[in-house]
Amino acid sequence: MTTAGNSLEPKHLRRRIIHPLPVRAAHWINAFAIVCMVMSGWQIYNASPLFAFTFPKWATLGGWLGGAIAWHLAAMWLLAINGLIYLGYGFMSGHFRRHFLPLHARDLLRDLKDALTFRLAHQAGIYNTVQRLMYVIVLLLGVLVVASGLSIWKPVQLDSLVDLFGGYDVARRVHFIAMAGIVAFVAVHLALVLIVPSTLLPMVTGRAPQQKSHRESQA
Ligand code: HEM
């Protein structure tokens, strides 16, 4: 969904929309909801740890179990409603098809190699194959974390969903693993933003400088 900038602007200042408003709004609401969900989730986990560790107090939200559950459920509605709007927009407008696909193994290997040697070029408005794969994976993890979360929240009403996971204990582990995958995604995602900080402002304003055409850059 790329539109030309204001034609009255001087040519070298012309900027085009690379992130449409629905994507930006959904992205930042989602980022806020995910932070609330993860931090309150860690507080809930600390009340009955699955593994031999707990999360530090400073990284948790809610103060105590009851407070954390209230935060977790409130942020869940925000995440679920915002997520559904984003998925609906992404599929219906063709945003996912245009920006997250295609995903070819050959391109992925090439981009991964370039990324690991810090040679990966970034073009405003075009996601490289590593980003595309990461975005598709985090969408799937989002669906998994919501489905497993629903099944451990309402195990009686949603018993078929619990059965699909292979029982309550498995669903709880799946919920934890999906959360860990999302946290790992966010860590790599933020590292990529730090490596290419020029991607941040367009995700806020939507606009990026017009890329010169081949002919213009030759002139
Ligand atoms: C404060 C935290 C965050 C910052 C600073 C941030 C920043 C960004 C930036 C700059 C982009 C555009 C990248 C580019 O143009 O190459 C982007 C895209 C994206 N981010 Fe984030 N992000 C944050 C949190 C998150 C979280 C928590 C998630 C999901 C768990 C997420 C998922 C995505 C997705 C799916 C896209 C692609 C959006 C689309 O085109 O539909 N981000 N982010």
Side-chain angles (χ1 to χ4, degrees):
M1 195 180 275
T2 303
T3 56
N6 182 346
S7 59
L8 294 176
E9 272 180 278
K11 214 172 182 183
H12 67 286
L13 286 181
R14 243 177 245 171
R15 300 171 91 79
R16 67 199 165 110
I17 299 280
I18 60 164
H19 297 301
L21 183 63
V23 169
R24 280 178 283 141
H27 175 267
W28 293 116
I29 292 172
N30 174 57
F32 172 74
I34 290 274
V35 169
C36 294
M37 297 263 358
V38 169
M39 292 178 70
S40 56
W42 287 355
Q43 175 87 49
I44 298 170
Y45 166 95
N46 281 354
S48 166
L50 262 178
F51 305 104
F53 65 88
T54 54
F55 293 98
K57 185 97 192 119
W58 59 262
T60 63
L61 180 67
W64 65 296
L65 179 59
I69 291 174
W71 269 100
H72 209 63
L73 293 183
M76 175 201 78
W77 288 113
L78 189 62
L79 182 73
I81 294 168
N82 183 59
L84 284 176
I85 294 173
Y86 174 64
L87 287 177
Y89 173 83
F91 283 116
M92 276 163 26
S93 69
H95 172 75
F96 290 155
R97 185 176 36 77
R98 274 196 310 276
H99 295 281
F100 294 0
L101 295 177
L103 272 174
H104 295 308
R106 194 165 25 94
D107 299 339
L108 180 67
L109 287 177
R110 185 202 55 215
D111 285 355
L112 204 57
K113 200 171 124 230
D114 286 355
L116 293 174
T117 49
F118 296 97
R119 280 184 296 133
L120 188 56
H122 184 273
Q123 242 184 307
I126 299 176
Y127 298 134
N128 59 58
T129 321
V130 176
Q131 279 177 302
R132 288 177 191 194
L133 181 69
M134 281 180 51
Y135 295 155
V136 170
I137 290 177
V138 83
L139 289 189
L140 295 176
L141 284 174
V143 172
L144 191 63
V145 88
V146 170
S148 54
L150 286 174
S151 66
I152 54 179
W153 179 41
K154 298 277 180 200
V156 177
Q157 294 88 334
L158 301 172
D159 57 342
S160 336
L161 193 58
V162 178
D163 289 346
L164 206 66
F165 281 109
Y168 182 90
D169 288 335
V170 182
R172 205 182 157 200
R173 281 179 161 69
V174 170
H175 196 60
F176 189 94
I177 292 165
M179 172 281 295
I182 292 173
V183 171
F185 163 86
V186 174
V188 177
H189 188 55
L190 293 184
L192 290 177
V193 176
L194 283 178
I195 293 171
V196 192
S198 60
T199 57
L200 185 57
L201 198 58
M203 200 53 181
V204 178
T205 63
R207 291 170 183 274
Q210 186 81 268
Q211 226 116 37
K212 277 186 180 172
S213 71
H214 184 62
R215 196 174 295 172
E216 274 176 317
S217 53
Q218 299 277 305

